[in-house]
């Protein structure tokens, strides 16, 4: 009976897990207005998953458009591409193969690993063990619970002092499927703690400043990508009047909310939510930053993919008041990153560099008064997209550390 019950549970678990057999990721290159219209019409008529840009509304002539196409629609898409003579290539021949291929360094151990994509339960245990093993430099606090009731734990790194110190806020995993992002936050914490005392810059940083690290912002969504659907992006909140689940947390901040590059349709991947901060996860983070805005001098948020280092604004083409300084920092940080493996990043304000998108966390923090607000889009540029193999975690994190340390050094020298 127990054996039958076990197989029954396995069957249920497997049945819940979305498979991507035969699906492909295309890169299409619209150069004419007709091409743009075709892509938008296609998105209306069949279910395609936009990888970049993040929705059909953001497609314009002259940009690369990466879309995941279900197997049943491949013939239709091939026909459309041939008839329109739109330039295109297949980036991923078999999405399920790429999903399975992420663990290219062997099966995942049950224990936490800095070079694996850890599940939420493993990350949660890691947070607890880091806090107890490095109590002289780390403290934790809950900033609230997620929609599904999981704790959002924030790590505070820094030498303990009696007075308040200026701080940097770093978050990872706003979008659930961008697995390399939370991997970086874990790497950053380990690097900070293991090099404190030996690396002069890290020692100085943690002596003089605190770093608040939110290892996982969208906990519910991330858990769902490990248990049910690897391609899930949004939160897991229910939307009244719709069977579609979730809101894009990076369209839910009160920064030009839902004016451009966001959707009011709950079924869209860029759904802006019922109102600004309608998502409890967004409200929890926004509340913490508001309550600590006198000490938070920099806000860094980690996404993937595209190899970009962006700063405000994304909700308008207007340049920020500190545009020249932010551009100089972004270019310096990109150069530091490139020095290790030659990985090239593009830097600039979000709207002009990629596309208009309202409701983002970096624009919101900047408008709140956090001058040094940056968004990283980590590796790669589309070969694997969101399905970056685990063998690339180490090099990606190593090079990103150089850029983050570059920004941190500038902030430390230019406190305001």
């Amino acid at each position: 009976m127990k054996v039958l019950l076990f197989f029954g549970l396995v069957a249920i678990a497997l049945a819940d897990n979305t498979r991507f057999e035969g699906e492909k990721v295309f890169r299409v290159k619209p150069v004419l207005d007709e091409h743009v219209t075709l892509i938008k019409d296609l998105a209306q008529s069949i279910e395609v998953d936009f990888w970049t840009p993040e929705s059909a509304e953001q497609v314009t002539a002259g940009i690369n458009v990466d879309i995941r196409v279900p197997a049943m629609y491949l013939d239709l898409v091939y026909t459309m591409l041939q008839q329109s003579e739109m330039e295109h290539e297949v980036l991923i021949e078999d999405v399920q193969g790429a999903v399975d291929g992420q663990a290219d360094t062997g099966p995942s151990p049950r224990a936490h690993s800095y070079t694996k994509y850890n599940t939420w339960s493993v990350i949660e245990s890691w947070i607890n063990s880091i806090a107890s093993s490095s109590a002289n430099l780390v403290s934790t606090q809950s900033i609230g619970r997620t929609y599904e009731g999981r704790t959002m734990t924030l790590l505070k790194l820094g030498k303990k002092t009696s007075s308040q110190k200026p701080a940097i806020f770093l978050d990872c995993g706003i979008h659930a499927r961008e697995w390399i992002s939370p991997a970086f936050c874990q790497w950053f914490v380990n690097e900070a703690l293991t090099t404190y005392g030996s690396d002069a810059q890290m020692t100085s940083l943690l002596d003089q400043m605190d770093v608040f690290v939110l290892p996982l912002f969208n906990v519910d969504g991330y858990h769902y990508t490990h248990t049910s659907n690897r391609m899930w992006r949004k939160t897991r909140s229910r939307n009244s009047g719709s069977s579609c689940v979730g809101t894009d947390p990076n369209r839910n901040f009160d920064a030009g909310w839902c004016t451009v590059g966001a959707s009011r349709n709950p079924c869209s991947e860029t759904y802006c939510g019922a109102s600004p901060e309608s998502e409890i996860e967004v409200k929890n983070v926004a509340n913490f930053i508001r309550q600590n805005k006198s000490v938070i001098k920099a806000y860094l948020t980690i996404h993937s993919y595209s190899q970009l280092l962006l700063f405000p604004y994304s909700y308008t083409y207007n340049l920020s008041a500190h545009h020249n300084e932010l551009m100089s920092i972004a270019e310096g940080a990109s150069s530091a990153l490139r020095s290790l493996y030659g990985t090239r990043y593009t830097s600039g304000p979000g709207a002009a560099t990629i596309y208009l998108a309202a409701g983002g966390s970096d624009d919101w923090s900047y408008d709140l008064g956090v001058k040094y607000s940056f968004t990283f889009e980590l590796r790669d540029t589309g070969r694997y997209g969101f399905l970056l193999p685990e063998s690339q975690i180490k090099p990606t994190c190593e090079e990103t550390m150089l850029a983050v340390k570059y920004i941190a050094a500038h902030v430390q020298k230019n406190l305001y």
Side-chain angles (χ1 to χ4, degrees), residues 21-24 46-49 68-74:
E21 263 94 3
E23 300 194 1
K24 294 185 191 300
I46 66 168
E47 192 185 326
V48 290
D49 174 18
R68 175 173 63 88
V69 179
M72 64 192 286
Y73 298 125
L74 287 174

Side-chain angles (χ1 to χ4, degrees), residues 275-289:
S275 59
E277 297 180 26
S278 60
E279 299 310 284
I280 187 63
E281 297 87 355
V282 171
K283 186 173 277 303
N284 290 341
V285 170
N287 280 342
F288 180 85
I289 294 175

